[in-house]
Amino acid sequence: MHTIKELSNLINDRIQAININKEPKELYDPIIYTLEGGGKRLRPVSMLLACDTYGGKVEDAVNPAMGIEIFHNFTLLHDDIMDQAPLRRGRETVYKKWDNNVAILSGDTMFAVAYDYIRQTRNELVPEIMKIFCQTSIEVCEGQQYDMNFETTENTTIPEYLNMIRLKTAVALAASMEIGASIAGADRVEKETIYKFGEHLGMAFQLQDDLLDTFGDQEKFGKKIGGDILANKKTYIYLKALELANNEQKDVLRNLYMSKSSDPEEKISKVKAIFRELNIPAQAENIINDYFSKAMECFNKLNVEPDKKMGLKEFAYMILRRDM
Amino acid sequence: MHTIKELSNLINDRIQAININKEPKELYDPIIYTLEGGGKRLRPVSMLLACDTYGGKVEDAVNPAMGIEIFHNFTLLHDDIMDQAPLRRGRETVYKKWDNNVAILSGDTMFAVAYDYIRQTRNELVPEIMKIFCQTSIEVCEGQQYDMNFETTENTTIPEYLNMIRLKTAVALAASMEIGASIAGADRVEKETIYKFGEHLGMAFQLQDDLLDTFGDQEKFGKKIGGDILANKKTYIYLKALELANNEQKDVLRNLYMSKSSDPEEKISKVKAIFRELNIPAQAENIINDYFSKAMECFNKLNVEPDKKMGLKEFAYMILRRDM
């Protein structure tokens, strides 16, 4: 069995050693730049962990794990064009540093490179892994489209929002774990259960990320607090606040979320004040706990000796920033 | 054995019946619109033909053939954003009809859908087909990058241009044929030979397309003559003209290719006059004939009974608009 730290180091080493310093440079330089940008490597680590949990050879899962990480970075690269985001992980985004065309085409190439890594495992595993990955990459695109739609639609509902984050974030974690288990030869029921474990965990993770974006500790969270409020993002906490607000609070919230001109710090503190009045942090904790509990129910069903699945449990607690 | 017409109808029927009328509509409508736009279906037909030539079941190759066609249409969709092309096959391009973001994301989804079709064949074939397709899709992106680079670089050479069209156009035809042969169980030498056949044929096809863009008959060619000249495209015929031109002709050509203000018809006729003075149509015919001869050398090496490979020969003559 390997520790999370070991698996994380393994992925980082392999990504650093990746050989795409090729011609034409205009195409490959932005890819190298993107992969150097770091990131938590949650998806590849979860794939390796799942493989290790079921007694598979971690080496068989390393290329698909790199594939899922390259895919994730491709989606960020294209999302940054669509969202016109100037910064990613503290550095200029590709479309800002180069231009739109470079970002589109180097992104497309990354997507192809991702598939090229995903397929590099034992031959007999390729058809199943490809099926899971194709389905997942289509769903992630659907999630991004819903996310963009929500920017311009008036009445996004909480179930619609939850479905969006399921597609945009949770299914990739779920698929990573399923692919890892599949490489280790786990049976159908196990693969379905670990997929659901990853999906619920991914939901809890994204909802927690939304909560921390507004109510986190800037130093621990690692990015500026209030970003979602300034971007008028209709996250769970905003939608839940609208649901619970009286008419007056609704008007204030809606007006704040339509204005672009007001002082940013003032806007953040006004919105947070209403969220607090409505007890939104506790509401968000409730739904995060619900998903986390569902994830742990799936975890408990996994038919693996308890000591062999401790890595997965540790991973779940780690990404949810909880003590075990 | 099936005729080209039958195989072409089969692909068109399957593409019409494709079921991607799904949610979110903003994502899938542009995909349906793009696939409805028609096209010559050269790549999927060549895949089915290659499979049929080696006695494979055409049905095993239909999904991968649709995959290669969907991939081709994805590249056109993203190329149209990068080239800011307003029209494609007589209709508004996706980025014009919708917007940039829709075109980026529905293109990404098409790429994923393409992979999802490519993988849908007999399990034992998937690893090899995926390997060929991943390699090819990366090369097509490289070709598009070189094409964009040439717009702003001064001294593109003929070998560089030929390598660009090899990557951007020829390898996809080559890979289609190799995949078709692979599905039919052809051996390594046969697969390598049919790949080269497709590659040389693809080169001849693109060079002929360049020639017809300037010297073709508008009605037969199906698009407006002189488009490449107006877009200042540094195609083979332009580069060959520069190579053969005296200093005075060079200056005139370079000035015409830098100007955007002059009358379009006048520009086309001035450029064509110089091309004719330099005997460029015959020069282009020479290189087209060279590639076509190389293709037919490979064709002759294919270890298949003569009557079984007539379909491939017919296809080669058809796309080169020659009488057999």
Side-chain angles (χ1 to χ4, degrees):
Chain A
M1 298 295 294
H2 300 269
T3 65
I4 292 175
K5 185 81 195 145
E6 284 166 3
L7 298 174
S8 172
N9 288 343
L10 175 61
I11 282 296
N12 278 318
D13 290 350
R14 289 297 181 92
I15 285 177
Q16 273 188 348
I18 210 170
N19 185 16
I20 42 175
N21 196 357
K22 296 195 297 184
E23 297 288 336
K25 286 205 128 353
E26 295 79 1
L27 193 68
Y28 288 105
D29 281 354
I31 300 180
I32 295 166
Y33 175 82
T34 301
L35 292 176
E36 281 170 355
K40 296 183 284 293
R41 316 295 191 203
L42 296 183
R43 293 153 193 81
V45 167
S46 76
M47 192 187 290
L48 299 181
L49 261 179
C51 178
D52 204 24
T53 299
Y54 283 97
K57 275 192 220 156
V58 166
E59 193 49 47
D60 287 343
V62 170
N63 283 324
M66 286 171 72
I68 199 96
E69 182 65 14
I70 294 168
F71 168 72
H72 173 58
N73 280 273
F74 144 71
T75 64
L76 300 179
L77 204 168
H78 273 193
D79 286 2
D80 286 341
I81 314 173
M82 294 183 252
D83 300 341
Q84 300 195 277
L87 291 174
R88 161 80 57 192
R89 295 167 186 155
R91 307 186 314 156
E92 267 188 303
T93 50
V94 168
Y95 96 93
K96 267 277 175 191
K97 191 174 164 72
W98 284 273
D99 61 35
N100 257 358
N101 284 4
V102 163
I104 291 171
L105 193 59
S106 56
D108 291 346
T109 311
M110 273 182 97
F111 197 5
V113 170
Y115 271 100
D116 199 33
Y117 275 94
I118 291 277
R119 69 164 188 84
Q120 290 185 52
T121 183
R122 299 205 320 276
N123 273 354
E124 68 273 24
L125 300 167
V126 177
E128 184 181 345
I129 291 176
M130 279 303 305
K131 184 176 177 183
I132 300 168
F133 185 64
C134 285
Q135 179 64 31
T136 303
S137 53
I138 292 169
E139 287 176 342
V140 172
C141 291
E142 291 175 353
Q144 168 67 3
Q145 183 65 53
Y146 282 122
D147 197 13
M148 292 199 299
N149 288 356
F150 293 169
E151 284 173 27
T152 51
T153 46
E154 263 302 300
N155 300 309
T156 306
T157 65
I158 289 176
E160 283 168 346
Y161 178 77
L162 295 176
N163 187 47
M164 183 278 282
I165 62 171
R166 184 182 68 79
L167 293 165
K168 189 168 170 172
T169 303
V171 296
L173 197 64
S176 297
M177 293 196 185
E178 185 182 0
I179 290 172
S182 172
I183 290 170
D187 71 21
R188 190 180 57 78
V189 172
E190 292 301 303
K191 286 186 285 193
E192 284 172 8
T193 310
I194 203 168
Y195 183 94
K196 291 309 268 182
F197 169 64
E199 187 181 300
H200 294 314
L201 194 61
M203 295 297 289
F205 172 75
Q206 184 58 51
L207 289 161
Q208 170 127 310
D209 202 63
D210 291 352
L211 178 62
L212 293 175
D213 193 275
T214 301
F215 289 103
D217 174 321
Q218 188 147 318
E219 252 172 56
K220 279 196 213 160
F221 188 52
K223 38 184 178 179
K224 210 163 152 26
I225 298 303
D228 285 350
I229 292 173
L230 294 181
N232 301 322
K233 276 216 144 194
K234 293 160 189 159
T235 62
Y236 175 81
I237 56 177
Y238 171 75
L239 296 170
K240 191 71 191 173
L242 274 191
E243 185 187 298
L244 299 176
N246 61 32
N247 286 341
E248 193 193 331
Q249 289 166 320
K250 264 183 203 159
D251 286 348
V252 176
L253 263 182
R254 286 206 171 112
N255 282 331
L256 283 166
Y257 267 67
M258 282 191 295
S259 69
K260 284 183 180 173
S261 52
S262 60
D263 173 58
E265 291 309 319
E266 195 188 318
K267 178 174 173 180
I268 293 171
S269 79
K270 276 186 183 168
V271 170
K272 281 173 82 164
I274 299 177
F275 285 172
R276 282 209 188 87
E277 278 167 40
L278 295 165
N279 213 13
I280 294 301
Q283 296 279 346
E285 287 291 355
N286 282 346
I287 191 168
I288 294 165
N289 285 337
D290 283 351
Y291 279 111
F292 191 70
S293 301
K294 283 185 199 163
M296 294 319 291
E297 274 172 41
C298 295
F299 174 83
N300 291 330
K301 281 190 209 154
L302 296 176
N303 191 15
V304 180
E305 286 168 49
D307 62 319
K308 292 209 170 132
K309 57 182 183 176
M310 283 313 288
L312 279 179
K313 188 171 179 180
E314 201 188 314
F315 179 80
Y317 278 80
M318 181 194 80
I319 72 170
L320 268 290
R321 298 154 187 263
R322 298 182 179 213
D323 297 319
M324 262 174 87
Chain B
M1 299 295 294
H2 300 269
T3 65
I4 292 175
K5 185 80 196 145
E6 283 166 3
L7 298 175
S8 171
N9 288 342
L10 176 61
I11 283 296
N12 277 319
D13 290 350
R14 288 298 181 92
I15 285 177
Q16 273 187 348
I18 211 170
N19 185 17
I20 41 175
N21 195 357
K22 295 195 299 185
E23 296 288 336
K25 285 204 129 352
E26 295 80 1
L27 193 67
Y28 288 106
D29 282 353
I31 300 180
I32 296 167
Y33 175 81
T34 301
L35 292 175
E36 280 171 355
K40 296 183 285 291
R41 316 295 191 203
L42 296 184
R43 293 155 193 80
V45 167
S46 76
M47 191 185 291
L48 299 181
L49 261 179
C51 178
D52 204 23
T53 299
Y54 283 97
K57 276 192 217 154
V58 166
E59 192 50 47
D60 286 343
V62 169
N63 284 324
M66 287 172 70
I68 199 96
E69 181 64 14
I70 294 167
F71 168 73
H72 173 59
N73 280 275
F74 143 70
T75 64
L76 299 179
L77 203 169
H78 273 194
D79 286 1
D80 286 341
I81 312 173
M82 295 183 250
D83 301 341
Q84 300 196 275
L87 290 174
R88 163 78 58 191
R89 295 166 185 156
R91 307 185 315 155
E92 268 189 302
T93 50
V94 168
Y95 97 93
K96 268 277 178 192
K97 191 172 163 74
W98 284 272
D99 60 38
N100 257 357
N101 284 2
V102 163
I104 292 171
L105 194 59
S106 57
D108 292 345
T109 311
M110 273 182 97
F111 198 5
V113 170
Y115 272 99
D116 199 34
Y117 275 95
I118 291 278
R119 70 164 188 85
Q120 290 184 53
T121 183
R122 299 203 321 275
N123 273 353
E124 68 273 24
L125 301 168
V126 177
E128 185 182 345
I129 291 175
M130 279 303 305
K131 185 177 177 181
I132 301 167
F133 185 63
C134 286
Q135 179 64 31
T136 303
S137 53
I138 291 170
E139 288 176 341
V140 171
C141 292
E142 292 175 352
Q144 168 67 3
Q145 183 66 54
Y146 283 121
D147 198 14
M148 291 200 298
N149 288 355
F150 293 169
E151 284 172 29
T152 51
T153 45
E154 264 302 300
N155 300 309
T156 305
T157 65
I158 289 177
E160 284 169 347
Y161 178 76
L162 295 175
N163 187 47
M164 183 278 282
I165 62 172
R166 184 181 69 79
L167 293 166
K168 189 167 170 173
T169 303
V171 296
L173 196 63
S176 297
M177 292 194 187
E178 186 182 0
I179 291 172
S182 172
I183 290 171
D187 71 22
R188 191 180 56 79
V189 173
E190 292 300 304
K191 285 186 286 193
E192 283 172 9
T193 310
I194 202 167
Y195 183 94
K196 291 309 267 181
F197 168 65
E199 187 182 301
H200 294 314
L201 193 62
M203 294 298 289
F205 172 74
Q206 184 58 52
L207 289 161
Q208 169 125 312
D209 202 63
D210 291 353
L211 177 62
L212 294 175
D213 193 275
T214 301
F215 288 103
D217 175 321
Q218 187 147 321
E219 251 173 56
K220 277 194 211 159
F221 188 53
K223 39 185 177 178
K224 210 165 154 23
I225 298 303
D228 285 349
I229 293 174
L230 294 180
N232 301 321
K233 277 218 145 194
K234 293 158 189 162
T235 62
Y236 175 80
I237 56 177
Y238 171 74
L239 297 171
K240 191 72 190 171
L242 274 192
E243 186 186 296
L244 299 176
N246 60 32
N247 286 340
E248 193 194 330
Q249 289 166 320
K250 263 183 205 160
D251 285 348
V252 176
L253 263 183
R254 284 207 172 112
N255 282 330
L256 283 165
Y257 268 67
M258 282 191 295
S259 69
K260 285 185 178 172
S261 52
S262 61
D263 173 56
E265 290 310 319
E266 195 187 320
K267 177 174 173 180
I268 292 170
S269 79
K270 278 186 182 168
V271 170
K272 281 174 78 166
I274 299 179
F275 285 171
R276 282 210 188 85
E277 279 166 40
L278 296 165
N279 213 13
I280 295 301
Q283 296 279 348
E285 287 291 354
N286 282 345
I287 191 167
I288 294 165
N289 285 338
D290 283 350
Y291 279 111
F292 191 69
S293 301
K294 284 185 199 163
M296 294 320 290
E297 274 172 40
C298 294
F299 174 82
N300 290 330
K301 282 189 209 154
L302 295 176
N303 190 16
V304 180
E305 286 168 47
D307 62 318
K308 291 209 168 133
K309 56 182 184 176
M310 285 312 289
L312 279 180
K313 188 171 180 181
E314 201 188 314
F315 179 80
Y317 278 79
M318 180 193 82
I319 72 170
L320 269 289
R321 298 154 187 263
R322 298 181 179 214
D323 296 323
M324 267 176 83

